[in-house]
Amino acid sequence: MNSAATMISIRNVTKRFGVFAAVQDACFDIRAGEFFSLLGASGSGKTTLLRILAGFEAATEGEVHIDGAPMDAVPPHQRPVNMVFQNYAIFPHLNVRDNIGFGLRKLKLDKAERARRIDEMLELIKLPGFGDRASDQLSGGQRQRVALARALILRPKVLLLDEPLGALDKQLREQMQTELRALQRSVGITFVLVTHDQEEAMALSDRIAVMADGRVLQIDTPAGLYERPKTRRVASFVGSMNFLPGDLAVRACGQAAWQHGKADFIAIRPERITLHTDHPADQAGAGQPLPGRLTDRVYLGERVQYQVQLDGCAQHLAVSTPNTAPVVADPGTPVWLTWPAEAMIPLQDD
Amino acid sequence: MRMAVTTPNETALAAGRGQSAPRWLLARHEGLRGLILLAPALVILGITVIVPFAMMGAMSFWTQVGFDYADDWSLRNYIEIASEPIYSTLLLRSLGMAMAATLLTVVLVYPMAYFLAFHVHRNKLLWLIIITLPFWTSYLLRVFAWRVVLGFEGVINTGLMEIGLIAEPLKFLLYSRTAVVITLAHAWAAFALLPIYVSLEKIDRSVLEASADLGEGPVMRFFRVILPLSMPGVIAGTFLMFIPTVGDYVTAALVGGPDARMIGNLIQLQFGTINNWPMGAALAITMILAITVVGLMFLGLMLALKRWAR
């Protein structure tokens, strides 16, 4: 994947609406064949950036190249990209076949070839025999598939997806995630997905750009973002995270293990912390276990989530253990926390 | 189907059920609720439309005898309408002029509705009020205003003569079919504008972006998405305008010349000067039937177009 050519190149793109900057100085590349996600809360600028790629918004500054060609002067209908809209934007006056075949007019195909391609798409989205359905007789999931087929039938260089799974219920969403991922692999088209759902972004993407307040905070693989977040904001947005002042971490792990130099914060994932009901035996080279008191326990099925208040300070830590670990103690019980030195992520103040 | 013996408890229960029966019925039957809501309108419609219509239908089979009617239930009036060419000429001319006025209006008003729906983002209500402002004045005043505009010494003629484009007044402007069509087109414009505007306003903007995204430029976007989606409004506007203009007689009387008389003028004469109400009724019924036929043909044409466009 790393050797793949650049498909989209975003160079210093800024978009202002009046004085408000929706996107500030975005500058990154998206590789050919990649599943790339723009992840951020609402108002982070991710949708604006996607609409700049589609051509519905013009960048105030900077430029976008798609497959090597500058896109500044290219209107949406001439760009080699297609989009799946958030509400799917199915044409209400056309049936499923005509929706899927809408973009084929320009290709001047004969009737048989046109029908063949539409059938092929219906097969791909697993809706064969639905061609003559009116668009208002489709469920949410079916509309989503039709929107996908309508965009993919034109074999675009890039498929843009604007929160395509947001309107679906949880089960259907998970099923569609799997299908979307498989589809992307089979067609080999570059996908750019906009989402606010970090689990969805992690499940689908090769790489993720985390955005907040119009800025790209970090671009990395899902594992990279989760294990090596660069800033506190990224760390807290992707998964749940404990933040500790540096000296506490030093106490817990001993000076020897602490070689990260100066850091304002230490971040530790809840699942990396081990919970002990008895004072654990000191291990050579490790720091001392931190004593605390259990304040809350939430049973989540596969995992159990604990809240622990450390003795002598107001700091609360979230600890998450798999359900297979013996369930310890009720709130109020004294506990001890330990974690391996490599679980600590040093962070600077944002 | 009651059991012969009931305990006091059961009787109380049954009584309670009986008391709440209307409310229960209302809660269960949506149709009934709808009917009750419709009832006032139905009563008014019945009294002001259906009853007079039935009376007119009945009267059209009567005959005028001197100052009295003979309710002889003959087809004499209809036979006369079918055999005398004057009636069919006037009827066809009325249909033609109404069609011309409707077509002119829809074509002129569509861009206005389009502008209002897609390019006005603030103060839409203000724009709507401004556009419908002419309709705040009386219909008669509007028609008279057109006499001022179209007359021999009217705005257009004197203006054109002033700048030297014409030497003498254009005679076809006033007292002609052109004048009637222009006046009708203006006088009824709001009736065509509003439904078209509403149907354009309802179009989901993302659908337009989707059609751009799928490769269509502005022109094809209009013909493949906007126009088909606004057709319900166009059809409604066409009917709202066509139906009343066929029977219009004030406009023809005020700005039309002798060759611009419409069927409405004749009907008015029958009920007035000529004093042959049964004949007037028969003419009115004939006109309604003709409008129905033309309307159905128009709908058929639209359906065929829709099928062909796909």
Side-chain angles (χ1 to χ4, degrees):
Chain A
M1 197 62 85
N2 277 326
S3 59
T6 298
M7 175 55 76
I8 300 174
S9 148
I10 296 164
R11 287 282 157 270
N12 306 94
V13 166
T14 294
K15 174 69 184 178
R16 287 194 199 88
F17 295 104
V19 290
F20 170 71
V23 177
Q24 291 185 60
D25 204 27
C27 199
F28 57 92
D29 290 343
I30 296 172
R31 300 171 197 135
E34 189 172 32
F35 201 130
F36 192 92
S37 291
L38 299 169
L39 174 65
S42 63
S44 61
K46 56 191 194 304
T47 300
T48 307
L49 193 53
L50 192 80
R51 289 174 62 81
I52 290 173
L53 296 183
F56 296 128
E57 308 283 356
T60 317
E61 287 163 29
E63 52 188 30
V64 170
H65 291 246
I66 295 176
D67 203 20
M71 285 291 131
D72 305 341
V74 183
H77 63 276
Q78 286 164 1
R79 293 198 179 196
V81 303
N82 285 114
M83 184 150 162
V84 175
F85 289 81
Q86 189 168 17
N87 62 356
Y88 312 139
I90 301 291
F91 298 115
H93 59 303
L94 301 177
N95 65 16
V96 170
R97 287 195 82 81
D98 293 333
N99 260 288
I100 294 177
F102 188 90
L104 293 179
R105 186 190 68 86
K106 286 221 152 163
L107 305 184
K108 305 251 186 296
L109 305 173
D110 60 53
K111 253 192 176 157
E113 172 64 10
R114 182 189 150 90
R116 197 190 62 74
R117 284 195 105 174
I118 295 174
D119 286 334
E120 193 183 285
M121 274 298 148
L122 284 168
E123 207 66 50
L124 186 72
I125 58 168
K126 302 190 184 121
L127 288 178
F130 275 69
D132 295 323
R133 285 276 181 107
S135 53
D136 57 2
Q137 291 174 330
L138 298 175
S139 70
Q142 290 165 346
R143 294 172 78 82
Q144 198 261 351
R145 287 157 199 249
V146 172
L148 206 56
R150 187 177 71 176
L152 282 175
I153 199 170
L154 297 174
R155 297 166 191 169
K157 287 177 178 157
V158 179
L159 185 74
L160 307 172
L161 303 110
D162 186 5
E163 305 250 6
L165 307 178
L168 307 180
D169 58 62
K170 190 168 182 291
Q171 264 188 328
L172 190 56
R173 196 160 64 223
E174 281 167 4
Q175 182 196 341
M176 287 307 296
Q177 279 177 9
T178 316
E179 288 184 17
L180 205 56
R181 183 74 227 201
L183 188 69
Q184 195 263 342
R185 290 211 177 104
S186 70
V187 296
I189 291 172
T190 309
F191 277 32
V192 181
L193 172 85
V194 154
T195 182
H196 66 273
D197 182 341
Q198 49 107 358
E199 278 179 33
E200 184 175 301
M202 304 260 273
L204 290 172
S205 319
D206 294 317
R207 288 194 306 154
I208 301 171
V210 181
M211 292 185 73
D213 299 330
R215 290 187 181 282
V216 176
L217 301 179
Q218 186 174 348
I219 300 176
D220 212 330
T221 59
L225 279 183
Y226 193 77
E227 284 157 25
R228 296 177 300 279
K230 283 191 186 130
T231 64
R232 187 173 176 157
R233 289 180 87 168
V234 173
S236 56
F237 195 73
V238 181
S240 53
M241 186 67 102
N242 291 302
F243 296 100
L244 293 175
D247 58 330
L248 253 182
V250 172
R251 232 173 79 200
C253 291
Q255 205 69 40
W258 184 241
Q259 292 156 354
H260 292 290
K262 247 174 65 186
D264 301 307
F265 287 99
I266 301 299
I268 302 167
R269 295 286 178 197
E271 70 272 17
R272 300 301 300 271
I273 302 177
T274 314
L275 191 69
H276 308 269
T277 40
D278 302 312
H279 191 291
D282 281 346
Q283 284 146 21
Q288 41 187 248
L290 289 177
R293 194 166 290 275
L294 208 61
T295 56
D296 194 18
R297 187 180 73 203
V298 182
Y299 184 77
L300 296 172
E302 64 207 85
R303 302 197 71 81
V304 185
Q305 183 103 34
Y306 300 94
Q307 290 289 327
V308 175
Q309 179 168 22
L310 295 181
D311 285 351
C313 62
Q315 181 85 38
H316 274 82
L317 283 187
V319 180
S320 167
T321 63
N323 198 5
T324 48
V327 175
V328 275
D330 294 313
T333 328
V335 289
W336 287 266
L337 304 180
T338 58
W339 55 79
E342 70 272 15
M344 299 188 293
I345 307 158
L347 294 175
Q348 308 296 324
D349 266 326
D350 293 307
Chain B
M1 284 292 144
R2 280 284 198 82
M3 291 224 297
V5 185
T6 53
T7 65
N9 227 355
E10 274 177 18
T11 341
L13 210 77
R17 216 183 273 147
Q19 212 172 21
S20 65
R23 195 174 294 169
W24 177 82
L25 264 176
L26 272 185
R28 279 296 187 84
H29 294 275
E30 208 177 327
L32 191 66
R33 269 183 291 166
L35 210 62
I36 289 174
L37 283 172
L38 267 177
L42 285 179
V43 170
I44 293 173
L45 264 180
I47 294 171
T48 61
V49 177
I50 295 170
V51 170
F53 192 81
M55 284 165 64
M56 195 171 67
M59 188 183 260
S60 72
F61 295 102
W62 296 355
T63 325
Q64 187 84 25
V65 183
F67 288 106
D68 219 340
Y69 315 120
D71 49 349
D72 51 357
W73 303 104
S74 76
L75 281 172
R76 193 175 307 165
N77 293 326
Y78 290 103
I79 291 165
E80 192 185 331
I81 290 170
S83 51
E84 290 285 331
I86 172 82
Y87 298 112
S88 54
T89 308
L90 275 182
L91 188 60
L92 286 178
R93 182 196 287 166
S94 298
L95 291 172
M97 282 164 71
M99 267 184 225
T102 306
L103 189 70
L104 185 69
T105 306
V106 169
V107 168
L108 287 180
V109 137
Y110 197 102
M112 275 163 83
Y114 184 96
F115 171 76
L116 207 58
F118 290 111
H119 296 290
V120 177
H121 301 293
R122 275 184 291 175
N123 300 328
K124 278 202 188 210
L125 186 65
L126 184 72
W127 276 86
L128 266 178
I129 290 172
I130 290 172
I131 286 176
T132 50
L133 205 56
F135 301 89
W136 294 28
T137 59
S138 134
Y139 183 64
L140 270 182
L141 275 180
R142 266 177 282 150
V143 178
F144 269 112
W146 276 105
R147 280 165 73 119
V148 174
V149 175
L150 299 172
F152 292 148
E153 308 212 340
V155 178
I156 292 180
N157 274 326
T158 49
L160 287 178
M161 277 157 69
E162 205 65 43
I163 56 174
L165 273 178
I166 51 171
E168 44 186 71
L170 297 170
K171 294 230 169 66
F172 68 86
L173 273 185
L174 192 57
Y175 302 123
S176 65
R177 290 183 206 176
T178 318
V180 177
V181 169
I182 290 174
T183 309
L184 283 177
H186 173 248
W188 294 90
F191 291 86
L193 176 91
L194 290 176
I196 295 175
Y197 164 71
V198 169
S199 68
L200 285 170
E201 184 67 40
K202 269 196 336 202
I203 296 177
D204 181 357
R205 298 308 186 259
S206 67
V207 164
L208 305 183
E209 286 188 342
S211 61
D213 185 68
L214 293 169
E216 295 296 8
V219 176
M220 287 312 287
R221 280 209 289 280
F222 176 77
F223 283 107
R224 294 191 71 192
V225 180
I226 299 177
L227 189 59
L229 285 177
S230 63
M231 272 325 273
V234 171
I235 291 171
T238 303
F239 276 121
L240 277 179
M241 164 130 191
F242 178 72
I243 294 169
T245 46
V246 173
D248 191 284
Y249 69 94
V250 182
T251 312
L254 289 177
V255 301
D259 71 333
R261 290 278 176 266
M262 293 171 75
I263 191 80
N265 299 98
L266 191 61
I267 295 173
Q268 190 231 348
L269 282 180
Q270 301 292 339
F271 284 99
T273 330
I274 297 177
N275 196 27
N276 185 348
W277 286 33
M279 187 63 196
L283 275 171
I285 297 282
T286 311
M287 184 186 84
I288 290 165
L289 290 177
I291 290 173
T292 310
V293 169
V294 172
L296 288 177
M297 277 162 59
F298 175 69
L299 272 185
L301 180 73
M302 288 298 123
L303 280 177
L305 262 179
K306 190 180 170 188
R307 216 161 288 151
W308 173 81
R310 282 190 35 207

